[in-house]
C-alpha cells in the first residue's frame, strides 16, 4: 500500500489540478479551516526537538472548501497567515490561539501569466511580502509579478530572460528579498546544483540586472522554499521523494556568498524531517520573530490529494 501511495504521490506532485479548477462549483458560504494538533513524532508526544529546531506546535489543516490545499508558499505576520497554492488560490486567515475552526478568505489570483482556469498559468511557488506589496514567482511561466498586498491587483510583472532557460516544471521555486532590496530567485532544478539569480533590485521590473549563482541542496534533495533570517542568513527548505521512504525534508542555513558570477550557496543542515518525525510534502517556509526568538513555520502541499495532508508546523530556531 505504501508503494502504491508513493507512486501516486510522485504522479500527483507535478500534474494534479484541484477539482475546483475543473468544475464550476459554488464555494461554501463560509470557508472554514480546522486545526487538529499533531505531535512532532507520532507516538512520542514528549519529543520536542529536531536538529536545531525546538517544536512549538503542529497542526493538520482541513477545510470544507475544495479550493483549500496545495500550499506552496506562505507568509505569517502576527496572527495573520497568507498562503498561496500552486493552483493560484490565495488563502487568508487568522491563526487560532488554540485548536479550533477559523474562517478563511479564499480567492483566485485573478491577474497572472495567462488566462485563469489553467493550473500552469497560476502555478505560484514562491511569495515575498514587504510593506504593502507582494511578489509571486510563477514556476511554469518563470515569471515574477508584483501585486498590491491587499487586493492583489498587478503593479508590475516580468519574465526575466535569465530565467527563460529554466525547465517549466523545475523553474522558479523559492524567492527571498534581502534587506537592501535585492532579490534571490531559486530554480528547483533537476537534482544536484541548481541555479539561483541575484537580482540587483525588483525582479518584477523588466530589465533588472541579475547575477547567476549556484545553490547546492543536500544530496538527493531539491529546494522548495527559502526565507531570510533576522541576521541576514538564508533558511532553505529542501524536499526529497523516495519510493520506500516517502517524503522527507531538510532545513539548511546558509550565508550569502560574495556577489560574483557562479558563487555557490551551500548551507549547513539544521534539521532533518525523516524517519518517525512528522513529515509530508513540505514546500512552504515563513520566518517570524517572537519573544522566544526566531520562529520558523513550515507547511506542506497536499497536492489536493486525499492521500496527503496539509501540515503546519511551528518551531523556534535554537542557536
Amino acid at each position: 500500500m505504501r508503494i502504491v501511495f508513493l507512486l501516486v504521490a510522485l504522479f500527483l506532485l507535478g500534474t494534479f489540478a484541484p477539482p475546483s479548477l475543473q468544475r464550476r462549483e459554488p464555494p461554501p458560504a463560509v470557508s472554514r479551516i480546522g486545526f487538529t494538533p499533531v505531535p512532532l513524532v507520532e507516538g512520542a508526544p514528549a519529543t520536542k526537538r529536531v536538529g536545531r529546531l525546538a517544536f512549538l506546535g503542529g497542526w493538520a489543516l482541513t477545510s470544507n472548501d475544495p479550493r483549500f490545499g496545495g500550499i506552496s508558499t506562505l507568509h505569517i505576520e502576527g496572527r495573520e497567515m497568507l498562503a498561496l497554492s500552486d493552483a493560484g488560490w490565495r488563502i487568508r486567515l487568522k491563526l487560532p490561539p488554540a485548536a479550533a475552526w477559523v474562517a478563511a478568505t479564499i480567492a483566485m489570483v485573478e491577474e497572472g501569466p495567462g488566462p485563469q482556469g489553467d493550473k500552469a498559468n497560476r502555478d505560484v511557488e514562491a511569495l515575498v511580502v514587504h510593506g504593502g506589496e507582494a511578489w509571486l514567482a510563477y514556476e511554469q511561466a518563470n515569471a515574477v509579478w508584483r501585486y498590491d498586498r491587499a487586493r492583489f491587483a498587478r503593479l508590475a510583472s516580468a519574465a526575466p530572460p535569465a530565467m527563460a532557460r529554466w525547465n517549466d516544471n523545475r523553474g522558479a521555486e523559492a524567492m527571498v528579498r534581502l534587506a537592501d532590496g535585492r532579490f534571490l530567485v531559486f530554480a528547483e532544478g533537476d537534482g544536484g546544483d541548481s541555479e539561483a539569480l541575484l537580482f540587483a533590485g525588483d525582479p518584477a521590473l523588466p530589465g533588472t540586472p541579475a547575477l547567476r549563482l549556484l545553490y547546492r541542496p543536500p544530496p538527493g534533495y531539491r529546494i522548495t522554499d527559502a526565507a531570510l533570517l533576522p541576521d541576514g542568513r538564508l533558511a532553505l527548505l529542501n524536499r526529497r521523494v523516495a519510493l520506500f521512504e516517502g517524503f522527507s525534508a531538510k532545513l539548511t542555513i546558509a550565508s550569502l556568498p560574495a556577489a560574483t558570477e557562479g558563487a555557490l550557496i551551500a548551507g549547513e543542515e539544521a534539521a532533518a524531517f525523516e524517519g518517525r518525525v512528522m513529515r509530508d510534502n513540505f514546500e512552504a517556509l515563513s520566518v517570524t520573530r517572537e519573544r522566544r526568538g526566531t520562529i520558523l513555520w513550515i507547511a506542506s502541499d497536499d497536492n489536493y490529494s486525499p492521500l496527503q495532508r496539509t501540515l503546519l508546523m511551528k518551531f523556534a530556531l535554537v542557536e
Side-chain angles (χ1 to χ4, degrees), residues 21-278:
L21 278 185
Q22 300 166 346
R23 302 194 303 268
R24 298 185 181 276
E25 297 178 348
V30 177
S31 299
R32 300 195 302 163
I33 311 299
F35 285 71
T36 302
V38 296
L40 176 61
V41 177
E42 197 73 51
T47 304
K48 300 294 182 182
R49 183 79 176 261
V50 54
R52 292 168 56 190
L53 299 181
F55 181 63
L56 302 179
W59 303 268
L61 276 54
T62 55
S63 180
N64 65 331
D65 192 324
R67 299 172 298 177
F68 179 79
I71 292 176
S72 57
T73 187
L74 80 160
H75 174 79
I76 293 177
E77 193 171 321
R79 287 183 55 212
E80 302 284 340
M81 173 175 156
L82 169 64
L84 273 295
S85 83
D86 56 11
W89 298 112
R90 48 189 171 94
I91 304 159
R92 297 182 190 267
L93 56 91
K94 284 193 175 183
L95 297 170
W101 285 91
V102 297
T105 301
I106 302 178
M108 175 59 63
V109 178
E110 294 182 354
E111 296 181 272
Q116 292 184 42
D118 186 341
K119 183 178 185 292
N121 296 334
R122 294 296 184 275
D123 187 4
V124 178
E125 293 292 340
L127 163 71
V128 167
V129 173
H130 180 71
E133 299 178 324
W135 286 257
L136 301 185
Y138 291 93
E139 180 180 33
Q140 297 195 49
N142 279 317
V144 179
W145 286 50
R146 175 161 50 91
Y147 298 86
D148 170 89
R149 178 180 179 178
R151 298 176 295 109
F152 265 77
R154 185 183 70 89
L155 301 176
S157 61
M163 293 164 58
R165 68 179 187 179
W166 290 353
N167 184 302
D168 61 4
N169 202 35
R170 292 285 183 264
E173 184 73 21
M175 180 169 57
V176 172
R177 182 188 184 276
L178 304 179
D180 59 9
R182 293 179 296 166
F183 277 71
L184 261 175
V185 181
F186 294 81
E188 180 180 353
D190 295 315
D193 292 356
S194 59
E195 290 187 350
L197 294 174
L198 179 60
F199 287 86
D202 184 354
L205 293 177
T208 301
L211 187 67
R212 197 175 300 277
L213 309 180
L214 291 175
Y215 171 62
R216 179 166 296 164
Y221 285 78
R222 295 172 180 168
I223 190 167
T224 57
D225 210 352
L228 190 68
L229 295 172
D231 62 7
R233 291 177 299 165
L234 302 169
L236 304 151
L237 185 61
N238 307 273
R239 176 198 60 214
R240 182 178 67 181
V241 188
L243 187 60
F244 295 105
E245 299 173 14
F247 292 106
S248 60
K250 287 191 175 183
L251 179 80
T252 61
I253 295 177
S255 297
L256 189 67
T260 57
E261 185 78 19
L264 180 66
I265 301 170
E268 294 183 355
E269 183 178 311
F273 296 83
E274 55 191 10
R276 294 176 60 209
V277 176
M278 189 66 63

